Amino acid sequence: MKNFDITKDNHGTMLVMVLVFTGLFTVVAVGLAGMIASQHKLVLKKITWHKSLAAAEAGINYYRWHLAHAPGDYQDGTGGPGPYIHDYKDNLGNTTGQFSLNIAAPPQCSETVIIESTGLMNEDPNVERTIKVKYGRPSLAAFAFLTNSNVWFGDDETLHGPLHSNGGIRMDGYNDGVTESARETYICGLEHNCSDEIKPGIWGTGEEQTLWDFPVSNIDFDEVTTDLATLRTTAKNTQCSSTEDCYWGPAGLGYHLRFLNDGTFNLYRVTRLYSTVWQYDGSSWIRDSLDFNRENFLGNYDIPADCGIIFIEDDLWIDGEVNGHVTVVVAELPDDGTNPRVIINGDLVYTSKDGSNSLGIISQSDIYVPLYAAKNDLQINAALMAQKGHVFRNYYYNRYLPWNARQYNLRKSLNLYGVIITNTVWTWSWVNSSKNTISGYRNTETIYDPNLIYNPPPGFPTTGEYQILQWEETTEKQ
């Protein structure tokens, strides 16, 4: 019988196990090292990715600085087309990358510059990021409501969007945007159903009082007033047909402009008005007529594609369906104090509310809704600006109206999608001491058009300092 050497067998087994574990450890170590190396590369790429954005931002800041020192230069001082490439340096002055700029000059009737900047780093030129900003002064269309006077929103009035008043605000209605007054206190008079009482800059029974803010900085309406002469020159140099420009001079009683949904408008000369009636215009009782009943057709015209400015030096009645971007200016120059006015004659709406259409109405004096012509449920899509007057519906007293006109005194609803800018007191409706509407529109609603922030109507006035109006990252490459 043979005896086996157990010790020798155990040595062989241990050697095999050592080799197996060594192999496994080597595989794991190699895999772990590869993973660490991969993660390290990813971290480095991420760092470069963030640095590329910083380089692109540096390009934007550089060109803002350039425009501050060379206004109107959109070619980076070269006199030629871009892109314009600059070194990007660290705090020690070492060049670590580049930014490449493309500059789009403001189109006609605009002050907005488009700056596009692409940043990349020397350590990994395959990683780049591009951002694009709109740079300019903010349009007054950034407000849903802007006034230079005291204002009262009744409990049947609704506003959606930012509100600013240089006077006091009585807010009994509803507003879901920031409500600002430049006054800490003001004297509340009869226009707000008070007896010359001292009231806070904003007060009332309105909801969302956490959005009330006063006092804030005053907005100077002298700066708000846009250069009407420049707009008139633009209209005279723009074609609304193959034979006529976009300017019309005095016509006697005025014009009627009706927008059509095909991007054109019909223009008429007004030849006869309704009989005058007594009405209160916010400061005094007057006999006047804001409605016409006879007109002559002048022609069909195109809304200009590049810079849609229409200038009319007479009273203007306006309505229809807007397809395009256009600003209608009603003024008489030189300004001798007999300023023409705008009357919204009926529904004035966009073919769509997706930003592809905008309408600005700039009146040298007032913008009115009349007694007869405007509808019982009136729709207005526009940015309305009354430079020296107000956006208004006069007060009509039934006892002073012909019997067949009294049915038009009290109307149902007015809905405005856009902006109201009014120098003096504004209202669509009149209430008695019991807060019952006795003239004008029972229910009113103003809904802010957010598309006007970045794409205001052509030639619409701006205010404040230059700033970045819109920021977006357009491309990235890793």
Side-chain angles (χ1 to χ4, degrees):
M1 184 174 180
K2 294 182 178 180
N3 293 320
F4 294 94
D5 190 340
I6 298 175
T7 304
K8 288 185 177 181
D9 289 345
N10 285 343
H11 286 168
T13 303
M14 289 297 294
L15 180 60
V16 171
M17 292 179 65
V18 168
L19 292 174
V20 169
F21 280 110
T22 300
L24 289 174
F25 177 78
T26 302
V27 171
V28 172
V30 170
L32 185 60
M35 184 179 69
I36 292 172
S38 177
Q39 287 294 320
H40 181 65
K41 289 181 180 179
L42 181 61
V43 169
L44 291 178
K45 189 173 285 289
K46 279 290 185 182
I47 292 173
T48 305
W49 185 72
H50 286 291
K51 287 181 177 179
S52 298
L53 180 62
E57 287 277 15
I60 298 296
N61 293 331
Y62 158 74
Y63 214 80
R64 291 174 63 190
W65 172 87
H66 181 82
L67 289 174
H69 291 80
D73 178 15
Y74 308 111
Q75 296 180 321
D76 199 19
T78 68
Y84 311 106
I85 299 173
H86 294 263
D87 288 336
Y88 176 65
K89 299 182 179 182
D90 62 17
N91 294 334
L92 299 177
N94 300 314
T95 299
T96 59
Q98 294 179 323
F99 56 79
S100 175
L101 297 169
N102 284 295
I103 313 298
Q108 190 179 14
C109 296
S110 174
E111 297 181 5
T112 302
V113 185
I114 296 178
I115 308 171
E116 186 177 71
S117 176
T118 299
L120 56 88
M121 305 305 295
N122 293 340
E123 58 205 55
D124 191 348
N126 292 321
V127 178
E128 62 181 46
R129 297 178 75 175
T130 302
I131 56 178
K132 181 170 69 174
V133 303
K134 289 185 176 181
Y135 182 67
R137 300 203 308 164
S139 166
L140 288 179
F143 293 96
F145 191 99
L146 173 62
T147 179
N148 199 32
S149 66
N150 300 337
V151 63
W152 180 9
F153 282 85
D155 54 13
D156 55 357
E157 293 175 314
T158 301
L159 175 67
H160 299 284
L163 158 66
H164 176 95
S165 172
N166 286 340
I169 301 173
R170 177 172 178 177
M171 177 58 75
D172 294 329
Y174 175 79
N175 181 25
D176 58 10
V178 175
T179 300
E180 298 179 343
S181 169
R183 304 292 296 275
E184 184 171 359
T185 62
Y186 78 107
I187 303 300
C188 181
L190 292 176
E191 78 280 5
H192 286 183
N193 201 25
C194 298
S195 301
D196 293 335
E197 308 163 42
I198 296 178
K199 292 287 188 180
I202 307 175
W203 68 285
T205 60
E207 301 178 42
E208 305 296 343
Q209 296 189 16
T210 56
L211 297 174
W212 295 2
D213 187 14
F214 65 96
V216 299
S217 297
N218 191 75
I219 292 180
D220 189 348
F221 261 66
D222 290 336
E223 294 184 1
V224 166
T225 303
T226 189
D227 189 346
L228 298 179
T230 299
L231 296 179
R232 183 176 65 171
T233 300
T234 301
K236 287 184 174 182
N237 292 329
T238 305
Q239 295 300 116
C240 277
S241 74
S242 59
T243 58
E244 296 186 57
D245 56 33
C246 299
Y247 165 83
W248 284 269
L253 294 177
Y255 296 92
H256 172 208
L257 188 156
R258 172 163 290 167
F259 287 106
L260 306 179
N261 62 13
D262 60 359
T264 67
F265 63 93
N266 288 340
L267 193 66
Y268 307 81
R269 187 188 304 273
V270 172
T271 59
R272 183 175 177 179
L273 304 179
Y274 276 92
S275 299
T276 60
V277 296
W278 282 105
Q279 51 202 284
Y280 182 69
D281 67 357
S283 58
S284 61
W285 284 92
I286 59 173
R287 282 193 69 96
D288 197 5
S289 176
L290 296 175
D291 293 274
F292 70 88
N293 63 2
R294 191 171 296 174
E295 62 185 0
N296 291 333
F297 179 68
L298 296 179
N300 176 258
Y301 303 92
D302 296 318
I303 295 176
D306 296 329
C307 184
I309 303 292
I310 299 169
F311 199 103
I312 293 179
E313 290 204 60
D314 212 329
D315 285 350
L316 177 69
W317 285 260
I318 188 169
D319 53 50
E321 194 170 358
V322 180
N323 185 352
H325 297 280
V326 60
T327 294
V328 179
V329 185
V330 174
E332 185 175 349
L333 299 176
D335 185 353
D336 61 1
T338 57
N339 306 133
R341 56 202 176 176
V342 174
I343 300 97
I344 299 175
N345 196 58
D347 280 345
L348 185 59
V349 298
Y350 300 146
T351 54
S352 62
K353 296 178 180 178
D354 58 2
S356 59
N357 306 293
S358 65
L359 169 64
I361 299 178
I362 300 175
S363 172
Q364 192 176 33
S365 59
D366 303 297
I367 299 175
Y368 285 113
V369 169
L371 175 63
Y372 296 109
K375 296 174 60 179
N376 193 40
D377 294 286
L378 183 62
Q379 300 284 326
I380 303 173
N381 300 167
L384 307 178
M385 180 175 179
Q387 285 200 335
K388 297 193 299 181
H390 51 195
V391 179
F392 212 68
R393 210 261 191 179
N394 284 345
Y395 171 60
Y396 299 93
Y397 184 40
N398 276 339
R399 289 181 60 182
Y400 294 167
L401 290 174
W403 67 269
N404 60 342
R406 296 176 185 177
Q407 60 180 310
Y408 302 105
N409 185 16
L410 193 58
R411 296 301 183 98
K412 184 179 177 182
S413 67
L414 188 154
N415 180 284
L416 184 136
Y417 178 75
V419 174
I420 295 175
I421 302 173
T422 178
N423 195 319
T424 62
V425 63
W426 152 89
T427 193
W428 298 129
S429 55
W430 299 81
V431 299
N432 59 20
S433 57
S434 301
K435 296 186 178 180
N436 295 318
T437 304
I438 55 175
S439 182
Y441 287 85
R442 289 189 180 93
N443 298 289
T444 68
E445 183 177 35
T446 300
I447 301 174
Y448 178 56
D449 179 2
N451 299 299
L452 297 179
I453 298 176
Y454 307 123
N455 296 295
F460 211 74
T462 58
T463 187
E465 301 296 326
Y466 278 83
Q467 59 185 261
I468 291 177
L469 304 176
Q470 187 177 23
W471 185 104
E472 63 176 325
E473 183 169 3
T474 57
T475 60
E476 61 178 70
K477 178 182 174 184
Q478 297 188 48

